[in-house]
Amino acid sequence: MEKRVVFRSPWLPYLLVFPQIVITVVFFFLPAGQALWQSMLQQDAFGINLDFVGAENFVTLWNDPNYIESFQVTAVFAIGVTVVGLSVALLLAYFADRVVRAATGYKTLLIWPYAVAPAVAGVLWMFMFNPTLGVVSYALRKVGVDWNYLLDSNQALALVVLAAAWKQVSYNFLFFLAGLQSIPKSLIEAAAIDGAGPWKRFWSIVFPLLSPTTFFLLVINVVYAFFDTFAIIDAVTHGGPFNSTNTLVYKVFHDGFRGMDIGGSAAQSVVLMVIVIALTVVQFRFVERKVQY
């Protein structure tokens, strides 16, 4: 029998959700509406007059080869951050769940990186991989790897992917660990008694039961890669070299605050918002079908 909550006052449910509605309107709908309006305006070189140009800013974007290139960079970057972040976090959570002695210490150390600010994380990785002073770059040269992310586009993209994924691993680790701990141990023991090895038990029992957690983290990591990695890219590469790390969100900042193209930057933010919403809808529409609740 389904239990339903009944409020004595018909206004109480609306009163309870009113704070959340206010926050959503103020911090989402109003900025989104303002960005949409600014995307139809064009500012003169002196920043004095604003002219309504309609969809001209969007037409200019699609004719800009640098903007089209930023789509490819963002796709590679988002896929790399999501795959690396989820894979490493799942591996760490799986082994941390098996640790018996000093388990709390291991889990605490693995959670710490999430407390590091994105800009600080970017600076840390920049110093470690600095071509002149970096400890890691020194070790790479010792084994014959010519490391210089300031000149090599592929190395720069790989570096920001690793830095962004490292920052997100702790967040993913927490959810994967909670998901693993919620799986009944009796299922694992029964599979072991039936002769299933560790690999078979993981893919046949553990991973399918983790599919709701994995799906949730997939959505979160895609949004993170599109929006929350700006500080890391700005601290490590500034979008270079040769625009190889100039993602969509960084290009919004670069064109808007450095190039002073407010209309074009607003148009880019609208396109970015539409892309992220579309990706989220696609994930919920198609990927969620494979989730076993």
Side-chain angles (χ1 to χ4, degrees):
M1 182 177 180
E2 183 182 357
K3 295 183 179 180
R4 301 184 61 182
V5 178
V6 179
F7 295 94
R8 295 182 179 179
S9 173
W11 297 103
L12 183 58
Y14 300 99
L15 182 62
L16 294 175
V17 300
F18 180 74
Q20 182 61 45
I21 294 175
V22 171
I23 292 175
T24 303
V25 170
V26 172
F27 293 101
F28 181 77
F29 287 107
L30 288 182
Q34 184 180 11
L36 183 60
W37 171 247
Q38 288 182 340
S39 67
M40 302 180 191
L41 302 177
Q42 191 172 54
Q43 195 173 45
D44 61 14
F46 299 100
I48 300 176
N49 297 322
L50 287 174
D51 299 323
F52 182 81
V53 295
E56 183 178 335
N57 289 323
F58 294 96
V59 175
T60 303
L61 286 181
W62 299 118
N63 293 328
D64 183 6
N66 292 329
Y67 184 67
I68 302 301
E69 183 182 0
S70 67
F71 273 91
Q72 180 181 356
V73 173
T74 304
V76 175
F77 176 76
I79 293 173
V81 171
T82 303
V83 171
V84 174
L86 292 180
S87 302
V88 174
L90 179 57
L91 182 65
L92 293 175
Y94 182 74
F95 285 108
D97 187 48
R98 297 165 62 92
V99 173
V100 178
R101 301 180 60 181
T104 303
Y106 285 116
K107 296 171 185 177
T108 303
L109 291 175
L110 290 171
I111 293 171
W112 274 1
Y114 189 63
V116 179
V120 176
V123 171
L124 290 174
W125 282 77
M126 179 188 66
F127 275 113
M128 288 192 300
F129 285 86
N130 185 276
T132 305
L133 305 173
V135 175
V136 179
S137 60
Y138 175 79
L140 290 174
R141 285 196 298 271
K142 284 296 184 180
V143 297
V145 177
D146 185 18
W147 176 267
N148 191 347
Y149 76 91
L150 298 175
L151 300 176
D152 192 299
S153 300
N154 294 327
Q155 292 180 0
L157 185 57
L159 177 57
V160 293
V161 166
L162 290 175
W166 175 82
K167 178 67 178 66
Q168 190 69 0
V169 160
S170 297
Y171 183 88
N172 300 335
F173 169 80
L174 284 172
F175 283 90
F176 276 133
L177 183 61
L180 288 171
Q181 291 177 344
S182 66
I183 297 176
K185 301 301 180 184
S186 58
L187 296 177
I188 310 297
E189 294 171 356
I193 294 174
D194 290 339
W199 187 256
K200 183 69 174 178
R201 294 198 299 268
F202 177 80
W203 285 111
S204 300
I205 299 175
V206 176
F207 192 71
L209 292 175
L210 279 177
S211 56
T213 304
T214 305
F215 173 71
F216 166 76
L217 290 177
L218 176 64
V219 176
I220 294 297
N221 278 257
V222 169
V223 175
Y224 163 78
F226 270 84
F227 286 105
D228 296 339
T229 53
F230 159 78
I232 294 176
I233 295 175
D234 187 52
V236 178
T237 62
H238 300 288
F242 316 113
N243 294 325
S244 60
T245 58
N246 194 19
T247 59
L248 290 172
V249 67
Y250 190 80
K251 198 173 190 314
V252 171
F253 161 78
H254 184 274
D255 292 354
F257 291 91
R258 293 184 178 175
M260 299 306 295
D261 183 11
I262 304 300
S265 176
Q268 293 179 41
S269 66
V270 172
V271 173
L272 180 59
M273 178 179 63
V274 171
I275 291 174
V276 172
I277 292 175
L279 285 174
T280 305
V281 171
V282 167
Q283 291 179 85
F284 275 94
R285 182 69 177 82
F286 298 102
V287 180
E288 193 183 19
R289 291 180 177 180
K290 300 183 180 297
V291 175
Q292 302 177 16
Y293 292 99

